[in-house]
Amino acid sequence: MWAASCLASCCAACACDACRTVVSGISRRSARIAYCGLFALSLIVSWILREVAAPLMEKIPWINHFHQTPDREWFETDAVLRVSLGNFLFFTILAIFMIGVKNQKDPRDSVHHGGWMMKIICWCVLVILMFFVPNGIISFYEATSKFGSGLFLLVQVVLLLDFVHGWNDKWVGYDEQFWYMALLVVSLVCYVATFSFSGLLFYLFTPSGHDCGLNTFFITMVLIFVFVFAVITLHPSVSGSLLPASVISLYCMYLCYSGLASEPRDYECNGLHKHSKAVSTSSLGLGLLTTVLSVVYSAVRAGSSTTLLSPPSSPRAGSGKPLLPLDKADEHHEEEEKSKSRAVTYSYSFFHLIFSLASMYSAMLLTGWSTSVGESGKLVDVGWASVWVRIITSWATAALFIWSLVAPILFPDREF
C-alpha cells in the first residue's frame, strides 16, 4: 500500500513537471499555435462529453428539472454547448482585455504571450462553471451561436480574399515571363477543377427521377457567379487577373458542395449519403479535424496579414537594416532601437475574437445546428440550417469578391 502511494505521488509529480516544461516552452513565436492547441483541446473535450456525459447530466437537478426527462440526444447537445460557452467566454474575455494593445511594452503583451499555466487553469474553471448555469442561458447561447457561426465563415472569406489578392500581387510584382505563365497555369487548373466539380455535383445531388430543383438552383447560381467573375475581371476598366477569380470560383463551388453534402441523410436528392444512415468515427474525426484546420488557418492569417488585420503602425518585413553593424556607433544605435517600444505585428483582440466565433461554429457543427437533434444529432454538420449557412456564405463570398473588383472604380479616392 505504501509503495503504491509513493508510486502515485511520483507519477503525479512527473506529470506536473511535464506540464510545467511544456508550458514554459511556449515562446512568443509559438503562442498562436498554443492557442490553436487549446481550441483543439476544447473540441476533444466536447466530443468526449458528448459521448459519455449524458447519464451523469441526467442526475444533475438544475439541468434535468423537467417533468419528463428529455431524450439522451438533448443532454449530449447540452454538454457540447456548455463546453463551447466556457471556451467562448475565455477567448472573449481575452479579446476585450487586449483592445488597444499597440506596442510590446504594454503589460498586456506579456499576458497574451505568457502566463500559460494560469490561462489553462482559468479555461478549465470557466468550462466547469458552465455546468452550473441555468438552461435558459445555454438556450440563449445556442441561438446566438447561429449568428456567430455565420460571422466566423464571413471572416474566413475576408481572409481568403486578402490572401488571394496578395498572392496575385506578389507574382505580378516579379514582372517576369515565368511568373506570368505560372499565373496562367494555376488559373486554368482552378477553372478546370471548378467545372469538373460542378459536373460531379450535378451527378451526385440531382439524381434522375427526383425533383431536385433546389439543388440545381444552388449549383447553377455558382456557375453564374463564375462567369460573372471572369467577365468583370477581364473588363478593361478593371484590369484584373484571372488568378483571384479562378481561386474564388473554386472556393464558391466547394462551399456549394459542402452545403449540399450537409443535407439530411434521408433526403432523396442527397446522392452522396443515400446508402448511409450513420456516421462513422472516422467521419466524425475528419469533421473535427477540418474545423481545427480552418481555425488554425484563420488564426495564422490573422497574425500574418499586413494589409487587413495588422495595425497601421505594425512593422513591415524588409526594413533594409544591415546584417552586421558597421561600427560601434551603429551598434549602440541598434541597441537603443531595441530598447524602444516595438509595435505589435497583429491585432491581439481580433485574434482572440476569431477563436470566440470559432467556438460557436464548432458547437453548431457538433450539435447539428439545433437542439432538436433527432438523427442529425449523431452527425457532424448535417441539417438544413447548415445547408443554408454554407450556401449563403457562398453567395456572400461572390458578393465580396465582386465588390473588391468594382469598389476601386466606384470610389477611386479611397484605398481598398
Side-chain angles (χ1 to χ4, degrees), residues 179-200:
W179 294 107
Y180 288 125
M181 290 298 299
L183 284 172
L184 179 61
V185 170
V186 173
S187 301
L188 290 177
V189 169
C190 288
Y191 273 122
V192 170
T194 299
F195 289 112
S196 301
F197 207 176
S198 66
L200 181 63

Side-chain angles (χ1 to χ4, degrees), residues 68-84:
Q68 182 177 358
T69 301
D71 296 336
R72 179 186 178 90
E73 287 82 2
W74 187 91
F75 292 100
E76 294 173 351
T77 298
D78 194 69
V80 172
L81 290 173
R82 290 175 185 272
V83 175
S84 174

Side-chain angles (χ1 to χ4, degrees), residues 19-314:
C19 291
R20 280 195 294 267
T21 301
V22 172
V23 169
S24 62
I26 299 175
S27 63
R28 172 177 290 272
R29 292 179 177 272
S30 59
R32 294 201 298 265
I33 303 302
Y35 283 113
C36 295
L38 188 59
F39 176 80
L41 177 62
S42 72
L43 285 184
I44 295 174
V45 172
S46 298
W47 185 4
I48 293 175
L49 293 182
R50 182 188 182 207
E51 299 299 321
V52 304
L56 298 176
M57 294 180 64
E58 291 179 3
K59 301 177 182 178
I60 301 177
W62 57 86
I63 294 179
N64 186 11
H65 58 77
F66 306 99
H67 296 293
Q68 182 177 358
T69 301
D71 296 336
R72 179 186 178 90
E73 287 82 2
W74 187 91
F75 292 100
E76 294 173 351
T77 298
D78 194 69
V80 172
L81 290 173
R82 290 175 185 272
V83 175
S84 174
L85 179 56
N87 204 48
F88 168 80
L89 290 176
F90 174 80
F91 285 109
T92 301
I93 292 172
L94 284 176
I96 296 174
F97 184 70
M98 296 296 169
I99 292 177
V101 178
K102 296 181 179 179
N103 59 72
Q104 296 179 6
K105 284 297 182 86
D106 193 311
R108 292 174 294 176
D109 179 84
S110 60
V111 176
H112 175 73
H113 293 99
W116 279 99
M117 183 62 71
M118 182 58 65
K119 282 189 285 192
I120 292 175
I121 293 174
C122 291
W123 178 84
C124 294
V125 170
L126 281 173
V127 171
I128 294 173
L129 285 178
M130 292 309 102
F131 285 86
F132 294 90
V133 302
N135 290 333
I137 296 178
I138 304 301
S139 299
F140 176 77
Y141 173 71
E142 182 211 359
T144 308
S145 294
K146 292 180 171 62
F147 297 97
S149 301
L151 288 177
F152 173 72
L153 293 175
L154 287 179
V155 167
Q156 286 190 304
V157 170
V158 175
L159 291 171
L160 177 63
L161 289 174
D162 177 57
F163 168 74
V164 171
H165 284 297
W167 178 11
N168 179 77
D169 293 341
K170 184 176 182 179
W171 283 15
V172 171
Y174 292 136
D175 196 19
E176 296 178 2
Q177 185 177 2
F178 171 80
W179 294 107
Y180 288 125
M181 290 298 299
L183 284 172
L184 179 61
V185 170
V186 173
S187 301
L188 290 177
V189 169
C190 288
Y191 273 122
V192 170
T194 299
F195 289 112
S196 301
F197 207 176
S198 66
L200 181 63
L201 295 189
F202 276 116
Y203 172 75
L204 290 175
F205 299 102
T206 60
S208 59
H210 299 287
D211 183 13
C212 300
L214 184 61
N215 288 359
T216 302
F217 169 73
F218 289 156
I219 303 172
T220 304
M221 278 296 296
V222 177
L223 289 175
I224 292 174
F225 286 139
V226 171
F227 284 106
V228 171
F229 295 161
V231 170
I232 296 178
T233 299
L234 296 177
H235 194 275
S237 300
V238 176
S239 300
S241 172
L242 284 177
L243 176 64
S246 62
V247 173
I248 297 300
S249 297
L250 181 59
Y251 181 68
C252 287
M253 192 62 70
Y254 164 75
L255 286 177
C256 182
Y257 159 76
S258 181
L260 296 177
S262 298
E263 292 176 337
R265 298 296 174 105
D266 56 354
Y267 183 49
E268 59 185 8
C269 294
N270 189 349
L272 186 64
H273 300 300
K274 63 183 180 180
H275 299 300
S276 177
K277 293 295 182 181
V279 68
S280 63
T281 303
S282 59
S283 299
L284 180 59
L286 181 62
L288 294 178
L289 178 61
T290 303
T291 304
V292 173
L293 291 178
S294 66
V295 175
V296 170
Y297 167 78
S298 299
V300 172
R301 287 297 298 166
S304 60
S305 174
T306 58
T307 59
L308 178 67
L309 304 174
S310 299
S313 59
S314 63

